Amino acid sequence: MITFLQNLLYNFFISLGVILGGCVFGGIAATFSGHPPLKSMLDLCDKIKLWAVIVALGGTLPSFKILEVGVFNGDIRGLLKQVFYILSALSGAQMGYRIIYYLGGVNKL
């Protein structure tokens, strides 16, 4: 059985992987199509950051259902766990975002 901390790590690294993988492969596709790869990678970082969080959480509907039960039925424990899962996924996406920007030589975030 997967524990709470394991889920936090999974969410973090899944969202990190979506950002890094999407940007790297998008840069490769940009190279093949004659566009500047670094600019394409930086543009993709902005576009797929939210999608990385959604993918890490397994879609939005289960997350909203847990949040609804937590708010309206008083299940505070489930609500807090979901908030931590969202924060973990956001942290992974932000780290991937920063890695791509630093690799691109952009120091201003």
Side-chain angles (χ1 to χ4, degrees):
M1 179 154 184
I2 298 176
T3 65
F4 174 70
L5 291 176
Q6 287 172 332
N7 274 333
L8 287 177
L9 283 174
Y10 285 150
N11 287 341
F12 179 85
F13 283 106
I14 288 170
S15 63
L16 176 67
V18 168
I19 291 286
L20 293 179
C23 289
V24 167
F25 282 107
I28 291 170
T31 302
F32 289 147
S33 64
H35 293 98
L38 185 59
K39 182 180 180 331
S40 299
M41 289 172 67
L42 295 175
D43 290 342
L44 280 172
C45 272
D46 291 329
K47 292 179 183 178
I48 65 173
K49 191 173 177 184
L50 179 63
W51 288 107
V53 174
I54 292 170
V55 166
L57 294 174
T60 57
L61 293 179
S63 298
F64 284 127
K65 182 66 177 168
I66 293 170
L67 290 173
E68 175 192 5
V69 169
V71 170
F72 295 121
N73 293 343
D75 182 19
I76 301 300
R77 185 175 182 200
L79 179 67
L80 287 176
K81 284 172 80 172
Q82 195 63 32
V83 167
F84 282 118
Y85 291 151
I86 292 169
L87 289 175
S88 174
L90 282 170
S91 299
Q94 183 65 25
M95 181 171 280
Y97 181 80
R98 287 180 182 253
I99 288 171
I100 295 295
Y101 266 76
Y102 287 143
L103 288 176
V106 179
N107 295 326
K108 186 174 85 174
L109 288 177

